[in-house]
Amino acid sequence: MIPYSEIAAELKRRGVKKAALQFPEGLKRFAPELVSVLRKEGITSIISGDPCWGACDLSLDAASDADILVHIGHTPVTDEKNVIYIPYRKDIDCAVLEKAAAVLKKYESVSLTTTIQHSHQTEELAEKLRSLGVNAVVGAGSKRTPEPGQVLGCTYASAKNADCAANLFVGTGVFHAIGVSLATKKPTYALDPYGCGDLQEVSADPLLRKRFVQIEKAKKAKSFGILLSSKPGQQRKELAERLASLHGNAAVILIKEISEMQLRNLGFDAYVNTACPRLALDDQSRFPCPLLSPAEFEIVLGLRAWEDYEIDEIV
């Protein structure tokens, strides 16, 4: 849950008079309660109402009108001053792993990964797996994922650092598990900690088939827009400029929010995404034309073989 009183105490300790508050979409409903708690401590608030997709998407506009930005839900991915990061935590009952262990023990080693909500428990979960006969390994994180075993939709360093024969992702949905599979090229399983403990082996093949279709469509494009995010945690200027230099009719587009209407209005035949990697993989159906990852663009241009396909990560 959100530690309201701890946040208030830390802001008082810092002498904060006005705080900007930022919540991801799933946690915005908690904003009124935090505002109320801070008001009782003499601290006024301004809430960022814009969409927030992670710590890469800091509301620096709201922070400019406050003493500090309180970002709820994530760990830092950039070095920004006057920002407090408050991860959102939710405990898992380790017993949920018992059925999964029967399948996973056949592997020589298994990496354990999860999202920030549960990464405070990675070693506890790994110990449970070990007690059930699974050689569980928690890989070291990275600058963008500082907690062991933590993964994001834009980086899977902890899974790669574990260097195991197979992977287990504990969390809801299969997007991160598919990302782990693509990043490591090893058998990967997903376990929903709020389900009945059933294990699901994920396959990247359906996603890859969809991406192959977009690559083939993009081979007919005569112009390419290279999308460069203006968000500090997503901005990869050198990459965008390098990609633009690979095609005679490509241009870098500085953009904050990527939407269907914006891409239609800009009028390029296809786009290359250097912002959040999830956009090309998760949201292609929203867009009017191919939205490629950097590696996919290189495949289109004949600079990379399809067999060398790799998932886009921000490192």
Side-chain angles (χ1 to χ4, degrees):
M1 298 300 292
I2 296 175
Y4 301 108
S5 58
E6 293 177 23
I7 295 172
E10 176 62 18
L11 296 185
K12 284 191 69 175
R13 186 187 70 79
R14 295 186 181 217
V16 171
K17 300 299 182 183
K18 184 176 183 180
L21 309 178
Q22 184 180 29
F23 299 77
E25 299 313 286
L27 300 181
K28 277 186 165 64
R29 65 186 183 277
F30 294 114
E33 187 168 354
L34 180 54
V35 169
S36 178
V37 170
L38 295 181
R39 184 181 293 117
K40 291 175 182 176
E41 298 296 335
I43 301 171
T44 60
S45 307
I46 180 170
I47 301 169
S48 172
D50 291 329
C52 172
W53 309 111
C56 59
D57 194 6
L58 294 177
S59 182
L60 300 181
D61 291 343
S64 67
D65 190 34
D67 302 321
I68 202 164
L69 173 64
V70 181
H71 177 90
I72 307 291
H74 306 98
T75 48
V77 298
T78 57
D79 298 322
E80 299 290 339
K81 296 180 179 179
N82 295 325
V83 180
I84 298 177
Y85 297 86
I86 309 294
Y88 181 72
R89 307 293 194 183
K90 197 165 184 178
D91 287 345
I92 297 170
D93 183 353
C94 292
V96 76
L97 298 170
E98 291 175 359
K99 289 165 61 174
V103 175
L104 297 174
K105 64 174 59 177
K106 68 182 178 182
Y107 293 102
E108 181 180 353
S109 57
V110 177
S111 80
L112 175 65
T113 58
T114 188
T115 54
I116 185 61
Q117 290 91 343
H118 314 303
S119 57
H120 63 294
Q121 280 188 283
T122 49
E123 193 53 46
E124 180 185 358
L125 294 167
E127 281 297 329
K128 178 65 175 179
L129 286 170
R130 293 171 193 140
S131 74
L132 296 168
V134 179
N135 180 20
V137 178
V138 180
S142 66
K143 184 176 181 179
R144 294 180 72 87
T145 51
E147 300 195 357
Q150 179 190 358
V151 294
L152 291 172
C154 61
T155 182
Y156 302 93
S158 62
K160 292 192 288 189
N161 290 339
D163 192 24
C164 290
N167 309 291
L168 171 64
F169 171 76
V170 179
T172 55
V174 296
F175 177 85
H176 291 90
I178 290 173
V180 169
S181 173
L182 285 169
T184 64
K185 297 178 172 57
K186 301 289 179 62
T188 301
Y189 296 82
L191 177 65
D192 184 345
Y194 308 113
C196 57
D198 291 334
L199 197 65
Q200 174 185 357
E201 184 171 8
V202 301
S203 172
D205 288 346
L207 173 64
L208 290 174
R209 285 195 290 270
K210 292 179 181 178
R211 299 315 304 162
F212 184 82
V213 170
Q214 297 304 318
I215 289 170
E216 290 301 303
K217 286 182 179 179
K219 287 181 179 179
K220 300 175 184 177
K222 292 183 172 56
S223 61
F224 291 90
I226 314 297
L227 302 177
L228 171 62
S229 178
S230 61
K231 299 175 182 180
Q234 297 179 11
Q235 192 170 92
R236 293 184 282 176
K237 184 178 180 181
E238 289 183 5
L239 174 61
E241 291 177 345
R242 180 182 71 80
L243 294 173
S245 72
L246 299 178
H247 190 275
N249 195 12
V252 175
I253 302 166
L254 183 65
I255 192 167
K256 184 175 183 181
E257 296 293 338
I258 299 170
S259 70
E260 173 194 359
M261 188 57 67
Q262 286 170 309
L263 299 195
R264 286 189 186 278
N265 288 340
L266 286 162
F268 286 84
D269 296 332
Y271 295 88
V272 184
N273 174 49
T274 70
C276 173
R278 289 193 69 158
L279 285 168
L281 299 180
D282 225 14
D283 295 342
Q284 176 65 67
S285 61
R286 293 198 294 119
F287 301 117
C289 58
L291 179 63
L292 305 174
S293 72
E296 290 168 352
F297 184 48
E298 292 177 347
I299 293 172
V300 167
L301 299 181
L303 302 175
R304 178 190 293 264
W306 169 254
E307 292 73 23
D308 295 328
Y309 187 99
E310 63 180 30
I311 191 169
D312 184 25
E313 296 183 74
I314 302 179
V315 296

